[in-house]
Amino acid sequence: MKSIATPTRILEIEGLSARYGHVEALRPVDLHVDEGELVAVLGPNGAGKSTLMNAIMGLVPTQGQVKFRGRAVPRRAPAAAAGLGIVLVPEGRGIFAPMTVAENLELGAYLLNDKHEYARRTARVLAMFPRLKERLAQTAGSLSGGEQQMLAVGRALMSEPKILLLDEPSLGLAPRIIDEILQKLGELNRQGLSIILVEQKAPLVLKLANRAYLLSVGSIAAEIDPRTIKSHDELVQYYLG
Amino acid sequence: MAQFRFTSGLLLAGAVALSGTSGARAQDAYKIGMSAGLTGYAATVDRAWRDGVEVAIAAVNAAGGVDGRKLELVVEDNRSEPQEAVTAYRKMLSSDKVQVFASGCVSAGNFAAAPLVVRAETPMVLCSILPQQPDHVKWAFTTIPQPRFEVETRLEYIQKKTQIKKIGVLHDPSPYANAQKAAAEKEAKDYGLEIVGVEQYKTDDADLSVQIQKMYAAGARALIKIGLGGTTLTAAKNIKQLDLDMIMLTSLEDIAVFRPVAEVLGDKFFFVASPSQVYDEIESSPLKTEIGKFLTPWRAKYKDRDPNWAGRGWDAVMLIAAAAGKAKSVEGPKVRDALESMDNFQGTTGIYHMSATNHQGITENPLLLATITGGQVKVVK
Amino acid sequence: MNSFNTIWANGRGNLATWLLWGLAAVFVVYTFASGGYLIAVLQFALIYTVLVTGLNIFMGFTGQVSFGHNAFAAIGGYSSAVLTATYGWEPLPAGLVGLAGALLCALVIGYPVLRLRGHYLAMATLAIGLIVYEVAVQWQSVTQGYMGISGIAPIGIGRFTITSDRGLLVFLMIAAALALLSAAGIRRSRLGRAFVAAAGSEDAARALGIDVARYKLIAFMISAAYAAIAGSLFAHAVGFVSPEVFGLPMVVMSFTMLYVGGIGTIAGPALGAIIISVLPESFRTFKDYQDLAYGAALIVILIYAPRGLASLPELWARWRRRSA
């Protein structure tokens, strides 16, 4: 099947829906991400943002299509999606608490079996998050929330993803830490990494995003240009439809 | 604090273990060890066995003991598990310096420990069946009547007292039940009977109607039920519910278990009884005299508790005492040799004819068939 | 020694560590020297160490639940028993057949079962244990049912057999040590990290490209192999197997050892196996109250060291910090 997608599209999603048993958690969704874009997915609690991320990864049963650089991503095969370079930093970070920081990073590059390349990537991640360097031998469970989020992002970077999906990285963190993390994400994006950033706290990410989708009750309500949103109130208008 | 408490607990435990292994030993006692399933599936049988052994030891000691020595009993619970039995036997051999065993009915436990007992040259008189290995059997003796006796008593009744020609066998998977089943299959034709069905059940089965109905449909009008416990009542209820024209004859068991069964099936229910269970019914004989010796202290202590398994425990002690007395020694090999010469020894279950080739001494069928009518146990003549 | 560092995370070299190992060493040396029945107790403890180490790989490292590992011990034990006692094989090839049988069984059963989660997985594994038990009871032509198989030769190769109690004890110590070291090696390897990742969060692990279902299956098979080896060791050490040997009490026992020793740690299975084996013996003099004392001791341990005895050094270090 030949794709008609424009060559600059890194991710194109058509009619992607997901259901848990009889409950339709995500109504058919269309969205796309261009190479080098940072796309925000906004929406209130329960709008289906996490389901959308899990659906893209193939962690939940889905219908519809996900295309990566014009090629269909196999469904229900998160390992295959990860192999293509689609990597998710899940909600709640999903770090492996009983393992050390170093072991967590190693797991990020699980598909890699090359010591030199591994060392190079580790150095790169530690340069980006120097605080992790001091904590390498500590168990991940003993880190602070902010450090855990840095570890989760660092671990995802270990696989050198082509597109990074982040599910509510600000959850439970102090504003100062959130700023720091968002700043790192902006940096990564400027280096050319495509990113989908899921957030409930919209104002935080609108400064950063090239485009934004508004998700409400399991489907896309609107696609918005962040530059046109001037106030919080205006966004609330969108939420309420 | 937790660490202190824990480590001091460990030290204490260690100290207890040490003192347990090096305690003082009475020089003049003859130590009898018992590995018994006081908990677990064998508890009913083995507790009765233990109590019978205790009553017998008290009786022997009251009469002056054996060869000038008092008998002393060491009991270890094997939880009806082979692994626990191995530990229990080893503990009794090495820590308690037990000189002879009178162990309970957990056959797997006795089998598992047999190599140890043989290596220690310690004879054992068992409640269970004998081990399989010939070199193990050399040191093991049993008080259990041959499995075929229980079957023959029932087949004989069916042949002589009923018109029934077709029978069914319902058994649990225990070794003793399997041995009875094999005997029934082998001997039925000698009694002019045909086995039209053999069915197995598990001891925790709550319904046996499928097995029973199958055999009934094949023409069975008598059910030989082999196995202990609540399944006997289950089978009776199933026969009654299905309204089958069928008699049931069950294997040896605590008579207390049979009373509710008799209420369900009435005169269609028969069971195999050992002589001690029907003591008041049997005529005067050396057997009755021996049972009387046992039942007097037993009834004084336990009232009308069933004497069947306890009676065999009594026999085990009396066999050991007689053998040690005859050998004028409590050394393992000598007592073993003497046990092998216990011919024509009157026990409460029957007459033991031990020999070099026969360590299961009861060679003549001592068992009777009985019913319960009007709450009274009656021997079927 | 990386993994030991994580186990004794904050407690390396402190008094509790030394006391714990010191007590274990004193007990082993005392048992070895005295030669009493405690040798048998220790032999069983070492066999259980192998079994529980395997269980720990599946339950501790990989975060799954199995009530059915007695099945694999039974496969190992019966293979050794039947092939050596009935067909006159050498213990080693017989044990290897048992090992292969357990691996095959784990593969066939694990493939569908490991797709289940939580309670369903636990129930399915429980069923495996019950089924194998029933087979051992019913397949009388091979297993001899409840009669069991006796006369199993002691362990050995060719003309060299281990017949003395102390020799067997040393052999089992080596076997248990190898089990622990291999488990430590697994935990440190790529494979081990995948196991722990699957235990932490299946979704997160899958999102990183780790084929969780596959690693759960591998962990299940590896732990089944340990159980099969333990079963073979039991058959040769005791010289007898019967269905009851591999019944539910074995499951209860191995769970108790795993949790008391410290689930997910390396040393936990050994500590748990030794303590749980020795504890009831220390209370044997209590007669009818033995079970009561034993139960009370277990509760005390689990209250004060909820993560098992292997966590004691860590608790000790924390207590020192607090009181300092």
Side-chain angles (χ1 to χ4, degrees):
Chain A
M1 206 171 72
K2 270 282 169 201
S3 169
I4 51 153
T6 47
T8 56
R9 294 262 154 103
I10 186 165
L11 200 69
E12 181 150 32
I13 289 162
E14 286 166 15
L16 188 68
S17 65
R19 49 170 59 245
Y20 299 106
H22 293 292
V23 182
E24 192 169 46
L26 186 66
R27 299 211 199 114
V29 163
D30 296 336
L31 67 79
H32 69 270
V33 181
D34 286 341
E35 296 276 3
E37 253 191 329
L38 195 158
V39 172
V41 175
L42 309 174
N45 214 354
K49 303 187 300 293
S50 293
T51 307
L52 174 60
M53 293 302 105
N54 291 338
I56 295 173
M57 278 312 289
L59 286 167
V60 293
T62 57
Q63 289 194 310
Q65 211 177 29
V66 178
K67 281 195 228 160
F68 176 79
R69 289 181 175 162
R71 282 167 48 206
V73 178
R75 300 288 68 209
R76 291 295 275 158
L84 287 171
I86 307 170
V87 172
L88 170 69
V89 177
E91 186 177 7
R93 302 165 199 129
I95 58 148
F96 305 121
M99 282 194 270
T100 63
V101 169
E103 284 180 309
N104 267 275
L105 291 178
E106 275 179 73
L107 279 162
Y110 199 76
L111 300 173
L112 178 75
N113 215 349
D114 174 345
K115 274 193 178 158
H116 295 291
E117 177 61 16
Y118 170 76
R120 194 188 65 75
R121 290 185 188 181
T122 312
R124 193 178 150 232
V125 167
L126 294 180
M128 177 158 267
F129 299 109
R131 267 207 263 172
L132 295 182
K133 197 168 187 171
E134 302 154 23
R135 307 257 187 274
L136 272 179
Q138 244 171 273
T139 56
S142 68
L143 301 182
S144 72
E147 288 165 341
Q148 289 189 1
Q149 188 60 59
M150 288 173 197
L151 177 59
V153 174
R155 188 182 62 186
L157 292 176
M158 286 296 290
S159 67
E160 305 235 305
K162 307 289 185 294
I163 180 165
L164 189 60
L165 318 182
L166 291 125
D167 194 351
E168 298 234 24
S170 72
L171 204 69
L173 299 184
R176 192 172 49 80
I177 308 285
I178 298 174
D179 282 346
E180 192 180 338
I181 284 167
L182 290 179
Q183 185 206 324
K184 297 284 184 193
L185 292 177
E187 211 174 289
L188 284 166
N189 180 239
R190 280 193 294 281
Q191 288 168 14
L193 181 64
S194 310
I195 293 175
I196 300 181
L197 183 53
V198 166
E199 262 302 343
Q200 205 178 323
K201 303 180 187 106
L204 290 176
V205 295
L206 284 174
K207 284 174 280 183
L208 222 55
N210 302 107
R211 282 184 303 116
Y213 290 94
L214 251 181
L215 207 59
S216 94
V217 216
S219 66
I220 298 279
E223 185 185 336
I224 48 178
D225 182 344
R227 282 159 301 188
T228 64
I229 305 286
K230 292 189 184 63
S231 71
H232 188 254
D233 290 344
E234 211 169 323
L235 197 69
V236 170
Q237 288 303 311
Y238 270 113
Y239 275 178
L240 298 173
Chain B
M1 252 335 266
Q3 292 78 10
F4 277 132
R5 249 175 269 168
F6 173 71
T7 43
S8 56
L10 255 193
L11 288 171
L12 184 72
V16 171
L18 285 175
S19 64
T21 55
S22 57
R25 282 168 200 109
Q27 279 307 310
D28 50 356
Y30 184 28
K31 285 203 165 185
I32 302 178
M34 178 192 297
S35 155
L38 302 180
T39 51
Y41 74 83
T44 318
V45 178
D46 272 9
R47 282 175 180 264
W49 167 269
R50 176 199 60 189
D51 295 340
V53 165
E54 280 176 350
V55 165
I57 285 177
V60 171
N61 284 342
V66 174
D67 197 21
R69 296 160 196 261
K70 296 279 183 196
L71 302 186
E72 189 184 316
L73 182 65
V74 179
V75 181
E76 290 295 345
D77 180 11
N78 60 34
R79 297 161 201 275
S80 310
E81 286 171 37
Q83 184 190 323
E84 294 287 336
V86 171
T87 308
Y89 268 100
R90 291 194 62 147
K91 188 238 167 203
M92 289 187 280
L93 283 171
S94 65
S95 299
D96 302 318
K97 310 286 180 204
V98 154
Q99 292 148 297
V100 65
F101 286 103
S103 284
C105 300
V106 182
S107 55
N110 295 333
F111 296 177
L116 303 169
V117 179
V118 170
R119 219 183 312 154
E121 300 198 319
T122 310
M124 48 183 179
V125 181
L126 304 174
C127 169
S128 80
I129 55 176
L130 291 169
Q132 300 301 290
Q133 303 287 107
D135 55 324
H136 296 170
V137 176
K138 188 180 168 199
W139 292 88
F141 300 83
T142 181
T143 59
I144 208 166
Q146 291 180 28
R148 66 183 171 90
F149 294 159
E150 288 203 40
V151 174
E152 287 168 2
T153 298
R154 285 178 275 182
L155 295 180
E156 192 182 344
Y157 171 81
I158 298 169
Q159 178 194 29
K160 292 194 175 149
K161 306 283 181 180
T162 72
Q163 304 301 315
I164 296 167
K165 294 292 170 209
K166 291 181 177 179
I167 60 172
V169 174
L170 183 63
H171 69 98
D172 73 26
S174 70
Y176 190 66
N178 265 309
Q180 286 190 48
K181 178 204 75 170
E185 285 174 324
K186 190 163 159 247
E187 296 179 24
K189 61 179 180 305
D190 300 341
Y191 292 85
L193 300 173
E194 184 194 350
I195 296 179
V196 294
V198 176
E199 296 289 333
Q200 192 176 305
Y201 66 90
K202 290 202 283 290
T203 46
D204 52 0
D205 278 354
D207 185 87
L208 301 167
S209 51
V210 174
Q211 290 98 319
I212 293 169
Q213 217 161 8
K214 209 166 140 190
M215 290 184 281
Y216 187 82
R221 290 299 174 265
L223 180 66
I224 306 274
K225 169 152 186 318
I226 305 166
L228 301 178
T231 48
T232 303
L233 183 57
T234 307
K237 284 179 175 167
N238 289 154
I239 290 171
K240 176 135 196 217
Q241 279 154 6
L242 297 165
D243 196 22
L244 304 179
D245 172 26
M246 191 179 214
I247 61 171
M248 177 165 81
L249 306 94
T250 72
S251 48
L252 207 55
E253 163 87 277
D254 190 322
I255 287 186
V257 172
F258 290 149
R259 296 198 180 271
V261 180
E263 279 170 28
V264 174
L265 278 186
D267 60 357
K268 293 198 300 193
F269 172 61
F270 303 86
F271 56 89
V272 178
S274 70
S276 62
Q277 288 177 308
V278 288
Y279 175 74
D280 299 323
E281 289 269 303
I282 55 178
E283 287 159 22
S284 292
S285 63
L287 175 67
K288 184 155 185 168
T289 311
E290 180 64 22
I291 298 172
K293 280 191 220 159
F294 155 63
L295 275 184
T296 309
W298 177 259
R299 283 182 174 168
K301 198 167 176 187
Y302 296 107
K303 310 272 183 309
D304 58 352
R305 183 173 165 198
D306 191 276
N308 173 37
W309 293 303
R312 292 213 274 118
W314 168 282
D315 286 0
V317 172
M318 293 305 162
L319 276 166
I320 289 168
K326 186 175 174 188
K328 293 194 170 36
S329 166
V330 291
E331 282 169 43
K334 289 186 178 153
V335 173
R336 191 210 78 86
D337 292 346
L339 275 169
E340 227 167 41
S341 71
M342 284 294 127
D343 195 6
N344 269 319
F345 181 90
Q346 181 64 59
T348 62
T349 310
I351 302 167
Y352 293 85
H353 298 283
M354 297 289 186
S355 73
T357 52
N358 182 13
H359 284 201
Q360 182 172 17
I362 297 179
T363 53
E364 295 145 46
N365 189 351
L367 303 173
L368 306 151
L369 199 73
T371 57
I372 299 174
T373 45
Q376 292 297 306
V377 177
K378 295 271 180 233
V379 173
V380 179
K381 297 268 161 49
Chain C
M1 294 308 284
N2 219 339
S3 47
F4 279 104
N5 289 354
T6 50
I7 297 150
W8 300 123
N10 303 314
R12 229 172 337 137
N14 75 26
L15 192 55
T17 317
W18 294 116
L19 209 57
L20 218 53
W21 286 117
L23 270 176
V26 165
F27 173 69
V28 168
V29 169
Y30 165 73
T31 306
F32 193 86
S34 74
Y37 84 103
L38 285 178
I39 281 196
V41 175
L42 195 54
Q43 285 170 351
F44 286 134
L46 292 167
I47 293 170
Y48 263 99
T49 300
V50 177
L51 176 71
V52 177
T53 300
L55 199 60
N56 189 34
I57 289 173
F58 188 61
M59 290 181 54
F61 295 175
T62 320
Q64 308 301 308
V65 181
S66 169
F67 291 111
H69 268 60
N70 56 333
F72 303 116
I75 291 171
Y78 269 102
S79 300
S80 287
V82 171
L83 292 176
T84 59
T86 315
Y87 295 99
W89 285 34
E90 285 282 314
L92 186 62
L96 288 176
V97 168
L99 188 64
L103 283 173
L104 187 69
C105 184
L107 175 66
V108 171
I109 293 163
Y111 191 75
V113 162
L114 289 175
R115 282 157 202 281
L116 308 174
R117 285 196 195 192
H119 300 312
Y120 298 102
L121 175 62
M123 290 310 292
T125 54
L126 181 64
I128 299 166
L130 296 176
I131 288 167
V132 170
Y133 186 93
E134 269 318 298
V135 169
V137 172
Q138 302 294 342
W139 195 13
Q140 291 188 359
S141 57
V142 172
T143 65
Q144 299 181 35
Y146 278 120
M147 287 295 278
I149 298 169
S150 48
I152 305 164
I155 202 113
I157 291 181
R159 289 184 299 111
F160 300 99
T161 53
I162 301 172
T163 45
S164 79
D165 267 343
R166 287 189 175 83
L168 183 61
L169 188 63
V170 170
F171 177 82
L172 291 175
M173 278 182 195
I174 295 169
L178 286 176
L180 290 178
L181 287 174
S182 58
I186 288 171
R187 172 61 187 82
R188 257 198 331 249
S189 70
R190 238 170 94 77
L191 192 65
R193 286 195 293 278
F195 290 166
V196 181
S201 160
E202 284 196 21
D203 280 349
R206 283 156 71 206
L208 293 173
I210 297 169
D211 188 344
V212 171
R214 192 165 138 250
Y215 284 108
K216 285 198 315 197
L217 183 60
I218 293 173
F220 191 56
M221 290 174 70
I222 290 177
S223 64
Y226 280 83
I229 292 169
S232 292
L233 290 175
F234 186 97
H236 289 295
V238 177
F240 174 82
V241 294
S242 76
E244 298 105 312
V245 168
F246 306 106
L248 273 182
M250 177 178 254
V251 177
V252 175
M253 181 88 101
S254 49
F255 265 62
T256 315
M257 288 169 173
L258 186 55
Y259 281 94
V260 166
I263 185 166
T265 66
I266 299 294
L271 288 174
I274 292 176
I275 293 296
I276 293 303
S277 303
V278 173
L279 216 48
E281 297 311 320
S282 339
F283 297 137
R284 206 177 262 284
T285 40
F286 291 20
K287 291 276 171 198
D288 284 351
Y289 298 103
Q290 187 186 349
D291 285 349
L292 197 68
Y294 171 69
L298 282 190
I299 290 169
V300 167
I301 292 175
L302 290 175
I303 287 174
Y304 288 104
R307 290 194 291 127
L309 294 176
S311 70
L312 275 184
E314 215 178 301
L315 290 176
W316 170 271
R318 209 181 304 157
W319 179 75
R320 284 275 299 268
R321 273 201 301 278
R322 223 184 309 148
S323 58

